[in-house]
């Protein structure tokens, strides 16, 4: 994914130090450019960006439920790019591509069938039938994931993966340490070749606007609340991300070494950043326990809520013009599609 060194290094400004901003900074530095990153957060570890609050499921098949053909294509391209990106980082990042599982309890067959029919219909339209979910009889499920005991139905989505999002955010920032990081400096306005903060206007050869919800009012972006839990479960053996197809929720469970699982699913049309609600706590953790009975003795070590940036159509935006690139609206697909969007943006910069 690393662009070839530019014959004439550029002075680049980046508005936003979330996942996109860090990927861009790392790639642009590798290409020999001078990079300046502006963000309202006070420091690199402040978890304001949506990329921190994500389980890291890399699921182009499952995300067809809410995404389109472009999200599907970008997702597979990003899965191909992630290993090379991670090899270029100094800090380790947990990553695997062993597939994921869709699960359903007895009695929820109707809800599961609706999702599966939707996925299979979209895959046929994309001439991608080879990616169709594979029915997994319960005995085979027990072999693949012995800890999964509750569901009566399962489907394997081969090729899907997962990434440790917190490790990746930290490793990308460390790899881009040579950039000029302007913390506690929110960008109020972005124009071709210009980033304006409250204090000053900064001129660049090219600027990237990846501010998420901070791009308002220049983009009609809204925040969609998401909530997650980290559970510590020593001894729980789980290799693959799980999604429970439930009539009310799409609960996901993602393992992280050495003994953590991340549980989440809430997608609330609200820009409330307050702590996780009691309703989400009860519903999501009960659903997770129904899939993995061993979670009964797990410990809740962290909970978090954040806002995912979404445009009115809930699909990503990549706009390029001389001196200015905007990327926004990654919604729930950020970790799935960010590398491919950055690749496209840098290819346009080189032309």
């Amino acid at each position: 994914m690393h662009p070839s060194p530019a014959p004439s290094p550029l002075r680049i400004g980046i508005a936003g130090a979330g996942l996109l901003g860090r990927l861009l900074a790392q790639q642009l530095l590798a290409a020999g450019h001078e990079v300046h990153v502006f963000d309202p957060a006070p420091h690199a570890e402040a978890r304001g960006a949506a990329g921190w609050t994500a389980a890291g499921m890399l699921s182009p098949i499952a995300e067809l439920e809410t995404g389109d053909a472009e999200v599907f294509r970008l997702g597979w391209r990003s899965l191909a790019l992630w290993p090379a990106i991670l090899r270029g980082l100094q800090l380790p990042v947990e990553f695997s591509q062993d597939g994921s599982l869709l699960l359903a309890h007895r009695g929820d067959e109707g809800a599961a069938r609706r999702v599966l029919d939707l996925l299979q219909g979209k895959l046929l339209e994309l001439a991608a039938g080879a990616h169709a979910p594979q029915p997994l009889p319960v005995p085979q499920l027990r072999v693949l994931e012995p800890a999964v005991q509750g569901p009566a139905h399962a489907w394997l989505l081969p090729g899907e993966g997962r990434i440790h999002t917190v490790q990746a955010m930290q490793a990308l920032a460390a790899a881009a340490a040579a950039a000029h990081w302007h913390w506690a400096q929110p960008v109020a306005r972005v124009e071709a070749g210009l980033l304006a903060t409250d204090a000053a206007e900064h001129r660049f050869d090219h600027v990237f606007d990846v501010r998420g919800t901070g791009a308002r009012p220049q983009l009609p972006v809204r925040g969609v609340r998401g909530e997650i839990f980290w559970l510590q479960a020593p001894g729980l053996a789980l290799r693959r991300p799980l999604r429970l197809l439930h009539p009310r929720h799409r609960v996901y469970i993602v393992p992280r070494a050495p003994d953590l699982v991340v549980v989440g699913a809430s997608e609330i049309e609200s820009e409330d950043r307050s702590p996780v609600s009691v309703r989400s706590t009860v519903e999501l953790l009960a659903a997770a326990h129904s899939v993995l009975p061993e979670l009964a003795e797990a410990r809740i070590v962290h909970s978090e809520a954040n806002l995912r940036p979404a445009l009115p159509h809930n699909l990503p935006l990549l706009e390029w013009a001389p001196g200015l690139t905007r990327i926004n609206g990654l919604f729930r697909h950020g970790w799935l599609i960010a590398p491919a969007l950055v690749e496209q943006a840098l290819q346009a910069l080189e032309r």
Side-chain angles (χ1 to χ4, degrees), residues 225 270-275 305-307:
R225 179 180 169 94
S270 167
E271 297 203 349
D272 176 14
R273 290 180 178 267
S274 63
N306 211 329
L307 302 181

Side-chain angles (χ1 to χ4, degrees), residues 10-75:
L10 302 176
R11 176 176 160 86
I12 303 289
I14 300 173
L19 170 58
L20 285 168
R22 293 174 191 223
L23 275 171
L24 282 164
Q26 187 248 342
Q27 297 296 315
L28 288 163
L29 280 171
H33 299 295
E34 177 186 337
V35 178
H36 293 254
V37 187
F38 296 78
D39 196 89
H43 52 77
E45 291 293 313
R47 299 190 178 186
W52 291 100
T53 311
M57 296 184 75
L58 307 178
S59 304
I61 305 170
E63 286 301 316
L64 271 175
E65 183 182 359
T66 56
D68 65 354
E70 183 68 0
V71 169
F72 181 77
R73 187 188 66 78
L74 291 169

